[in-house]
Amino acid sequence: MKEFKTESKRILDLMINSIYTNKEIFLRELISNASDAIDKLHFASLTDSKIDSDFKITITLDKQARKLTVSDNGIGMNLDDLEKNLGTIASSGTLAFKKENEDVKELIGQFGVGFYSAFMVAKKIEVLSKAYGSEDAYLWVSEGEDGYDVVKSEKESYGTDITVYLKDNEEGVDYDAYVQQYFVSDLVKKYSDYIRYPIVMDMTKSRKKEGSDEYEEYTEQETLNSMVPVWKKQKSEISDEDYNNFYATTFYDFEKPLRHVHANIEGNVSYTALLYFPAKAPMDFYSREFKKGLSLYCNGVLIMEKCEDLLPDYFGFVRGVVDSSDLSLNISREILQQDRQLKAIAVSLEKKIVSELKKMLEDDRENYEKLFAEFGATIKFGAYNNYGAKKDELKDLLVFTSGKEKKQITLAEYVKNMQEGQSVIYYACGENVDKIDGMAQVERVKSKGFDVLYLKDNVDEFVLKTLDKYDDKAFKSVSDKDLDIGTDEEKQEMEDTAVSNKDLTDFIKEALGNKVSSVALAKLGAHPVCLSYEGEVSLEMEKVFKAMKTASPMPVEAKKVLQINADHAILSKMRDLFNTDHETLKKYANMLYVQAMLTEGFEVDDMSGYFASVCELMTK
Ligand code: ADP
């Protein structure tokens, strides 16, 4: 007996002891594997006439032995395949166990532990398989956690038979149902109707005996599924449940997608697309391992499982299938990349996705915001990548938090609600809404009735810089020293105050040295000081570059401006000290600087000096 790999053991354990109520999905998983196995051979059969093209999946029920068998005449597995595929779980599965309390539903959802799900209903599973082109057949047997055996065996033709020996009935779970022909045929119709190969089963029926009143039983093989792939059906024939079922089985994501798009495009290039916007990013979505792509079919025949070229990176989250009769079947992958038709489809798909996302913004805002929370980062990436080559297409898909309303708004909505006399779009960067709310400059801008976009992602400011303008309105950071708000009178007054305090601000600048590039007065409401910047590099950019930790030859630093509130008592206090006690004034200047830095989320080198000053003040 061989042991399962540790991870597989734990998945098995979860399956065997699963209280997951939807145990019936195991059948769909086995059928889907069978269909994949046939797909692999089907593709080869296009160029190899030796392959029997009578592809099918056969279900056999045995009431006495309480067993159900799913057979296929697909590619089959050799000894090595059996060990590798059924002895271990796909490596991505290992990730799952970082989370101790993974729920089975999620597990199946994220990793499609397809084959193993049969252990939800089985006390023993046998897999008899013969690989196409091989002489030998092997039998793999397992009764669950203890492990499995593989022995040499006999099988007439290539393909795989998977036999599930049902568990004993338990309270509330009637495993016998899985050998009842009508129950099983309903399951096939419910979950596997679109499978492209016939799923056949012997059905026992009764009929009147000829020339007599008696009834007799007879057996007839029936094809249970319609075999029409969902995307080939009329939209009116497909329910949301059908769409979602197809999604779940094809992409192993059991969370309902946020939206599906079923489009028949006729034009330069004709194709059918069934696209889904998932509710959750897969675990590896933001890693290098993630592979985007849509399944590509030519007239219902799969030519590529994940065709990357159909999706731009920033729509990499979209899942789905594309079926076109304008593509050649025997095309190789290398040639496919150059294919003009394929490029035309990609261009058209991108447009379709953009328009569908815009529609979603209009008619299903709640789900759009969910989608943006999951995938907004890639859309933003699309907007600033390549010097903003795609910014015009993507700018209307962006949403940011409105400081006024505390909800997500688009740039168009911001502009629509601009106040009279407002000429720019204000934004503020910070870690979270509370912190941004607490910024002096934010309060000030809001006090004028202007809304402020709250930018919480590192990349947000780069995105706005790349857009440069929206609807001819420039973007303006509230931390920009030249915020330039207020009436002409107010501005004049500020200027006068600045002139009469120039000796003081010069002194403070001198005291702070090159920690700041200048010191200025401003109106800051209740806040004594704040930090702003002048020049090209914003405070946020400095933080982003620092966080990247890549040794850049020239540190990217903002030219910081310490702004002191002209209306605050602290100013007259400093004024007094300027006339009486320069040493204390220097200390206070430094304390205010530290406060401003900390409020902005910067680190300060000499914290102990600051604490000493605070204590000194407290004990005075
Ligand atoms: P998944 O289907 O998600 O890869 P499974 O655990 O369901 O995961 O199956 C593991 C692997 O075992 C499959 O990828 C496939 O290579 C192989 N396999 C399963 N069932 C069959 C089958 N009926 N015929 C051939 N290979 C199969």
Side-chain angles (χ1 to χ4, degrees):
M1 173 108 33
K2 300 191 176 175
E3 284 205 19
F4 287 107
K5 293 271 155 58
T6 322
E7 302 81 33
S8 309
K9 242 189 199 158
R10 294 179 61 185
I11 292 205
L12 268 176
D13 195 43
L14 274 171
M15 288 300 154
I16 293 166
N17 302 308
S18 151
I19 47 161
Y20 184 43
T21 45
N22 214 11
K23 292 177 197 283
E24 64 192 32
I25 58 115
F26 87 91
L27 185 61
R28 175 192 68 196
E29 299 293 311
L30 295 185
I31 290 174
S32 147
N33 279 349
S35 167
D36 289 348
I38 297 177
D39 268 342
K40 285 174 194 157
L41 204 55
H42 186 186
F43 194 64
S45 76
L46 298 173
T47 49
D48 181 349
S49 57
K50 285 197 299 294
I51 301 172
D52 173 11
S53 58
D54 180 24
F55 292 114
K56 62 173 177 253
I57 298 164
T58 309
I59 299 178
T60 316
L61 306 178
D62 183 337
K63 277 190 188 161
Q64 263 69 48
R66 297 180 76 250
K67 63 180 190 182
L68 170 154
T69 304
V70 177
S71 310
D72 66 69
N73 52 356
I75 192 119
M77 285 178 274
N78 60 28
L79 180 61
D80 203 39
D81 296 334
L82 281 166
E83 293 262 3
K84 248 201 341 249
N85 298 336
L86 306 184
T88 49
I89 217 118
S91 59
S92 60
T94 53
L95 274 175
F97 293 99
K98 295 214 168 114
K99 276 206 245 152
E100 201 50 47
N101 300 319
E102 194 74 55
D103 131 343
V104 180
K105 187 169 158 224
E106 231 171 66
L107 194 69
I108 297 176
Q110 281 175 335
F111 304 105
V113 281
F115 169 74
Y116 284 78
S117 66
F119 278 107
M120 290 195 287
V121 301
K123 56 180 173 193
K124 179 167 97 173
I125 298 180
E126 284 178 358
V127 180
L128 176 62
S129 197
K130 186 171 179 178
Y132 174 73
S134 159
E135 293 295 307
D136 304 322
Y138 291 92
L139 179 68
W140 180 100
V141 188
S142 170
E143 293 187 20
E145 285 145 302
D146 290 342
Y148 61 91
D149 279 315
V150 193
V151 292
K152 204 149 181 247
S153 185
E154 295 292 322
K155 188 175 185 308
E156 217 169 276
S157 164
Y158 52 83
T160 305
D161 301 339
I162 298 189
T163 302
V164 170
Y165 291 82
L166 296 170
K167 284 184 187 174
D168 299 334
N169 290 335
E170 296 160 12
E171 214 183 301
V173 202
D174 176 19
Y175 294 101
D176 282 337
Y178 298 111
V179 282
Q180 309 294 337
Q181 63 179 18
Y182 287 106
F183 184 75
V184 172
S185 75
D186 281 349
L187 282 185
V188 172
K189 289 194 182 91
K190 180 170 168 193
Y191 292 113
S192 311
D193 187 61
Y194 58 86
I195 293 284
R196 282 172 295 116
Y197 308 101
I199 303 169
V200 301
M201 186 166 85
D202 278 347
M203 300 289 277
T204 308
K205 301 172 181 180
S206 65
R207 65 182 162 206
K208 242 186 184 162
K209 265 189 184 166
E210 242 176 87
S212 124
D213 276 349
E214 277 173 47
Y215 280 83
E216 61 174 2
E217 291 206 324
Y218 71 103
T219 304
E220 193 173 64
Q221 197 178 58
E222 250 184 44
T223 299
L224 306 176
N225 56 330
S226 78
M227 285 179 279
V228 180
V230 180
W231 67 87
K232 288 237 175 182
K233 291 185 186 169
Q234 292 293 322
K235 283 185 213 175
S236 56
E237 283 175 39
I238 319 170
S239 66
D240 279 348
E241 202 190 348
D242 294 334
Y243 278 122
N244 291 345
N245 251 329
F246 175 76
Y247 175 78
T249 50
T250 315
F251 303 108
Y252 302 118
D253 180 1
F254 282 70
E255 194 138 345
K256 278 202 189 99
L258 296 174
R259 196 181 184 94
H260 66 256
V261 185
H262 189 178
N264 289 305
I265 310 286
E266 306 274 340
N268 282 345
V269 56
S270 303
Y271 66 92
T272 299
L274 177 54
L275 308 177
Y276 291 91
F277 300 161
K280 273 244 167 73
M283 270 210 187
D284 61 350
F285 186 67
Y286 286 103
S287 77
R288 269 166 212 270
E289 273 97 77
F290 179 77
K291 259 189 87 181
K292 62 171 174 147
L294 300 174
S295 305
L296 184 62
Y297 289 82
C298 174
N299 270 335
V301 177
L302 182 71
I303 23 185
M304 198 188 279
E305 192 152 351
K306 263 201 178 167
C307 182
E308 287 183 62
D309 300 316
L310 285 172
L311 287 176
D313 284 341
Y314 42 89
F315 290 148
F317 59 87
V318 176
R319 288 174 168 153
V321 300
V322 169
D323 194 338
S324 172
S325 45
D326 292 349
L327 294 164
S328 151
L329 248 185
N330 292 321
I331 208 161
S332 79
R333 283 168 196 228
E334 293 69 36
I335 295 172
L336 195 58
Q337 279 176 356
Q338 308 298 325
D339 194 83
R340 270 182 37 236
Q341 307 283 12
L342 190 78
K343 285 202 173 120
I345 296 178
V347 169
S348 153
L349 272 176
E350 181 176 346
K351 282 201 187 114
K352 182 77 199 160
I353 295 171
V354 169
S355 77
E356 203 59 39
L357 287 169
K358 282 186 184 162
K359 245 196 251 165
M360 197 173 169
L361 248 172
E362 298 270 306
D363 67 20
D364 191 6
R365 187 63 172 244
E366 197 185 328
N367 274 334
Y368 186 84
E369 285 174 19
K370 274 190 206 158
L371 179 128
F372 201 81
E374 285 295 300
F375 304 111
T378 62
I379 298 177
K380 288 177 195 168
F381 168 77
Y384 73 75
N385 195 33
N386 261 332
Y387 307 102
K390 287 284 177 184
K391 64 183 180 185
D392 287 333
E393 283 89 339
L394 301 177
K395 65 183 183 216
D396 284 312
L397 298 178
L398 306 173
V399 292
F400 300 99
T401 306
S402 149
K404 246 191 195 173
E405 302 183 57
K406 297 285 162 9
K407 62 173 198 189
Q408 301 299 104
I409 59 167
T410 61
L411 295 172
E413 285 159 354
Y414 182 99
V415 168
K416 198 171 132 225
N417 290 323
M418 274 170 60
Q419 303 294 302
E420 239 191 79
Q422 182 182 357
S423 57
V424 294
I425 299 171
Y426 293 104
Y427 68 87
C429 305
E431 230 172 285
N432 55 45
V433 169
D434 281 349
K435 285 197 178 162
I436 303 175
D437 262 342
M439 286 167 66
Q441 308 95 315
V442 169
E443 268 175 34
R444 176 140 182 264
V445 174
K446 278 170 50 181
S447 75
K448 297 279 171 197
F450 304 151
D451 198 0
V452 177
L453 295 177
Y454 284 15
L455 309 187
K456 291 169 286 180
D457 260 6
N458 274 344
V459 300
D460 287 347
E461 196 176 25
F462 288 102
V463 174
L464 297 191
K465 292 247 182 243
T466 308
L467 295 187
D468 187 37
K469 280 183 176 167
Y470 181 87
D471 197 15
D472 269 344
K473 317 280 186 299
F475 296 101
K476 183 111 182 148
S477 165
V478 300
S479 300
D480 191 323
K481 181 185 166 236
D482 303 316
L483 195 49
D484 198 25
I485 54 174
T487 61
D488 288 348
E489 268 164 49
E490 284 171 328
K491 283 180 199 160
Q492 188 58 50
E493 197 191 313
M494 247 348 277
E495 231 165 78
D496 296 344
T497 321
V499 170
S500 55
N501 284 290
K502 187 163 182 318
D503 48 357
L504 173 63
T505 47
D506 281 352
F507 180 90
I508 297 173
K509 158 71 186 124
E510 185 76 25
L512 293 175
N514 55 11
K515 286 182 202 159
V516 296
S517 83
S518 65
V519 175
L521 298 185
K523 291 196 175 288
L524 300 174
H527 302 259
V529 285
C530 83
L531 209 59
S532 62
Y533 69 90
E534 50 197 355
E536 282 304 306
V537 182
S538 72
L539 300 175
E540 206 51 30
M541 284 182 188
E542 175 176 330
K543 282 185 228 162
V544 171
F545 278 106
K546 276 206 177 116
M548 292 202 298
K549 291 205 168 80
T550 41
S552 75
M554 293 258 288
V556 179
E557 275 178 8
K559 288 186 175 164
K560 302 187 185 72
V561 180
L562 179 68
Q563 292 192 314
I564 301 174
N565 189 348
D567 300 330
H568 199 281
I570 201 82
L571 184 65
S572 41
K573 177 74 188 178
M574 309 264 277
R575 188 81 253 165
D576 291 347
L577 288 172
F578 183 62
N579 297 326
T580 56
D581 181 353
H582 280 190
E583 275 321 296
T584 307
L585 178 56
K586 276 185 199 165
K587 233 176 246 169
Y588 282 13
N590 205 52
M591 287 172 81
L592 288 174
Y593 162 78
V594 172
Q595 268 190 36
M597 286 287 280
L598 293 179
T599 314
E600 263 300 324
F602 281 102
E603 277 177 27
V604 175
D605 293 335
D606 182 25
M607 279 306 284
S608 52
Y610 175 73
F611 293 138
S613 303
V614 173
C615 279
E616 194 185 314
L617 254 184
M618 290 166 82
T619 49
K620 222 176 195 167

